[in-house]
Amino acid sequence: MKLLKFKAGIIFLIVVIAGYVTGCASSRSGQVYSRDHARQAQTVENGTVESVKQVQIEGTKTPIGTAAGGVAGGVIGSTVGQGSGRKIATVIGAIAGAAAGTMAEEGITRKPGLEIIVKKDSGQTIVVVQEADVIINAGDRVRIITANDGTTRVSK
């Protein structure tokens, strides 16, 4: 009975960690500002979109997904066999779980994005990649907003 409660506790912990990982992934959206950018002056330039290409923005790869997967795999592996067979199954489960946790975290936090090429009114051409959460098309007049840290976004 104690083992069952322990395993239930581990599974609950893994669910909480997974929620933390996906909830804390930083946004690459053109409409989301970090706390650091709030109430800060930013430069604005105007330009015309020359082209837009769909891209993938890779997901995060932190030790949290690996650790959560490793713990889950170890717990599941520990339910297999007896004696030294159980120990081997626990180790194999932990290794497989860690690999699966890493891949799951990256996949969950991966986002569709846009590679936007903009010709500024100054004549300079730039490329900005951001999440694909705003419809931007070639020929659109846009604003290029740049923060002091170099973070740049394209806005209509």
Side-chain angles (χ1 to χ4, degrees):
M1 188 63 158
K2 283 185 177 182
L3 183 61
L4 184 61
K5 286 183 180 180
F6 173 75
K7 289 178 183 177
I10 292 295
I11 291 171
F12 175 75
L13 180 63
I14 290 166
V15 169
V16 169
I17 289 171
Y20 176 77
V21 167
T22 58
C24 293
S26 62
S27 176
R28 301 289 184 236
S29 169
Q31 296 184 350
V32 177
Y33 285 85
S34 72
R35 294 185 63 77
D36 295 337
H37 292 157
R39 297 179 47 178
Q40 297 294 318
Q42 299 180 36
T43 61
V44 178
E45 298 177 79
N46 293 306
T48 303
V49 176
E50 289 189 341
S51 68
V52 179
K53 180 171 89 173
Q54 292 184 351
V55 297
Q56 280 289 326
I57 299 173
E58 73 178 359
T60 58
K61 297 172 187 168
T62 67
I64 295 171
T66 304
V71 170
V75 168
I76 292 168
S78 72
T79 63
V80 176
Q82 296 177 1
S84 62
R86 176 175 285 172
K87 291 177 185 174
I88 292 169
T90 300
V91 170
I92 291 171
I95 292 169
T102 300
M103 291 188 304
E105 178 187 4
E106 199 280 330
I108 289 168
T109 58
R110 184 180 308 142
K111 302 279 185 180
L114 297 176
E115 176 189 86
I116 307 163
I117 299 178
V118 180
K119 184 160 189 154
K120 295 181 182 180
D121 291 349
S122 67
Q124 180 188 26
T125 301
I126 64 166
V127 176
V128 177
V129 175
Q130 64 188 37
E131 282 185 29
D133 58 347
V134 176
I135 298 172
I136 296 178
N137 297 301
D140 286 350
R141 291 288 294 162
V142 293
R143 292 184 299 269
I144 302 101
I145 303 167
T146 305
N148 291 333
D149 65 0
T151 305
T152 302
R153 65 185 73 233
V154 176
S155 176
K156 281 187 157 185

